[in-house]
């Protein structure tokens, strides 16, 4: 079985795809009917064709894929894209980041090396800095870096390439500004793989304007969120409001929002790097203060509902539904207590969220926020 790898990232016109495939396969010129000529020349072949980076040419790749598979029964296609082709016969495989330690409780080097994200970091750091060794002194910081980067292979490779300049501890300390730091990709890599910002620019520039706005608005969320919360925070006014759910679903389909379907209720979140990027877009939009207020008011309503449900909903069901909101409750209270916030909203959230802090055994932290809220004039 022959393997054919076709890189599509550099193409801007879908009509050029058959010619690019023919060039890789060593076929003669295709003439004025390129797709028919291509299918005719490979219809008896047995091969796997990899079409890499299809997301900007979906309208061309989908019909091409269907035509190839119908004309050539022994040809298989493997396509990579941030969203499905929507073609007949398509089977989807969603790729997540590499496994990384979810907490800081790894205690030995051997435990750290069991995580592919840490293993990749160690390999790439050693390749860029011959004195680097993953050992007892640095594996915890490496785990923190991989966790901050959500196990994304490209981001980990870019981070590892900076170890020789700032060290592991320096890298961990500076990842709050990952777009300024992660800028040293391979010179031979595609331009959008040479910096973290370029990677996200590529994805962001492909989505419609209304989805760009929705993504920026969702950046105000800290932790996992439900579809209800996503729609409430991304909601527009007037005509735009009619398509709030569609915009959120579009971002999920394009892999800009990650999905957790393991529980009874679907949870969503933005990867740390995506959220950092989207926060920049939110600041540029001029809606930052409005969205912080909207966020605080939404979680004030959730806190009020949680307090009401506390007496009637079984404990396990209650914590499953409301437990994930704690990070955003914190953020909403802190913003409402700030000079830009609304102290009355902070007081409401703090009082109504008391069962949540109690159920999560966070009473010391709750007491501190309650004292601050009660101290407000």
């Amino acid at each position: 079985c022959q393997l054919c790898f076709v890189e599509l990232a550099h193409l801007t016109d879908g009509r050029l795809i058959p010619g690019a495939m023919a060039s890789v396969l060593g076929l003669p010129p295709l003439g004025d009917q390129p797709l028919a000529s291509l299918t005719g020349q490979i219809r008896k072949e047995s091969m796997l064709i990899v079409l890499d980076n299809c997301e900007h040419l979906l309208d061309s790749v989908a019909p091409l894929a269907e035509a190839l598979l119908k004309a050539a029964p022994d040809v298989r296609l493997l396509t990579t894209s941030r969203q499905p082709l929507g073609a007949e016969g398509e089977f989807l495989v969603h790729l997540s980041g590499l496994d990384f330690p979810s907490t800081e409780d790894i205690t030995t080097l051997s435990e750290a090396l069991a995580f592919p994200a840490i293993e990749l970091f160690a390999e790439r750091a050693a390749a860029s800095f011959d004195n680097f060794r993953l050992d007892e002194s640095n594996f915890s910081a490496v785990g923190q870096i991989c966790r901050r980067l959500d196990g994304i292979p490209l981001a980990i490779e870019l981070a590892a390439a900076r170890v020789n300049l700032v060290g592991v501890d320096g890298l961990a300390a500076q990842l709050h500004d990952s777009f300024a730091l992660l800028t040293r990709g391979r010179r031979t890599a595609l331009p959008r793989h040479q910096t973290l910002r370029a990677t996200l620019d590529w994805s962001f520039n492909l989505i419609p304007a209304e989805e760009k706005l929705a993504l920026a608005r969702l950046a105000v969320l800290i932790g996992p969120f439900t579809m209800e919360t996503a729609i409430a925070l991304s909601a527009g006014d007037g005509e735009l409001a009619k398509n709030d759910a569609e915009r959120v679903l579009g971002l999920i389909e394009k892999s800009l929002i990650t999905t957790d379907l393991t529980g009874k209720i679907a949870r969503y979140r933005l990867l740390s790097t995506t959220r950092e990027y989207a926060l920049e877009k939110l600041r540029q939009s001029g809606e930052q203060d409005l969205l912080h207020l909207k966020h605080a008011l939404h979680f004030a309503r959730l806190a009020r509902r949680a307090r009401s449900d506390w007496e009637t909903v079984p404990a396990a069901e209650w914590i499953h539904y409301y437990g994930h909101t704690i990070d955003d409750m914190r953020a909403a209270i802190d913003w409402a207590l700030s000079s830009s916030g609304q102290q009355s909203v902070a007081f409401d959230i703090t009082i109504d969220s008391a069962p949540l802090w109690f159920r999560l055994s966070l009473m010391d932290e709750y007491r501190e926020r309650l004292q601050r809220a009660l101290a407000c004039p």
Side-chain angles (χ1 to χ4, degrees), residues 13-56:
D13 187 338
R15 291 172 295 182
L16 301 177
I17 299 175
M21 296 175 64
S23 177
V24 173
L25 288 166
L27 301 177
L30 299 178
D32 57 0
Q33 297 292 326
L35 181 55
S37 177
L38 176 65
T39 55
Q41 293 188 57
I42 67 170
R43 61 188 179 83
K44 295 183 179 180
E45 300 292 336
S46 175
M47 65 175 66
L48 171 64
I49 300 175
V50 180
L51 298 179
D52 197 31
N53 298 300
C54 298
E55 54 267 11
H56 61 305

Side-chain angles (χ1 to χ4, degrees), residues 295 299-300 302-304 306 322 325-334 349 353 356-357 369:
H295 176 272
F299 282 91
L302 277 185
R304 191 159 53 247
Y322 293 109
T325 67
I326 187 62
D327 289 332
D328 282 285
M329 292 291 183
R330 283 191 185 100
I333 293 171
D334 291 345
I349 300 174
S353 65
L356 181 62
W357 299 89
R369 281 183 168 78

Side-chain angles (χ1 to χ4, degrees), residues 299-319:
F299 282 91
R301 290 191 293 270
L302 277 185
R304 191 159 53 247
R305 187 198 306 171
R307 187 180 184 187
S308 175
D309 288 347
W310 175 249
E311 299 294 335
T312 58
V313 176
E317 182 179 336
W318 188 92
I319 199 63

Side-chain angles (χ1 to χ4, degrees), residues 183-204:
T183 58
R184 193 182 177 185
R186 290 178 291 108
R187 289 187 177 89
T188 55
L190 292 169
R192 67 188 179 91
H193 288 166
Q194 293 184 8
T195 72
L196 184 59
R197 182 182 298 281
T199 298
L200 285 164
D201 280 342
W202 167 271
S203 298
F204 189 76

Side-chain angles (χ1 to χ4, degrees), residues 279-294:
L279 276 172
E280 288 187 1
K281 301 302 181 183
L282 178 60
R283 287 190 287 268
Q284 294 167 9
S285 74
E287 290 190 331
Q288 188 172 9
D289 289 339
L290 174 63
L291 262 294
H292 279 297
L293 174 59
K294 201 171 186 179

Side-chain angles (χ1 to χ4, degrees), residues 48 54 63 107 121 231 251 255 271-272 348 367:
L48 171 64
C54 298
T107 57
F121 182 96
I231 292 173
L251 292 171
S255 306
L271 297 180
S272 297
D348 291 342
R367 189 177 299 109

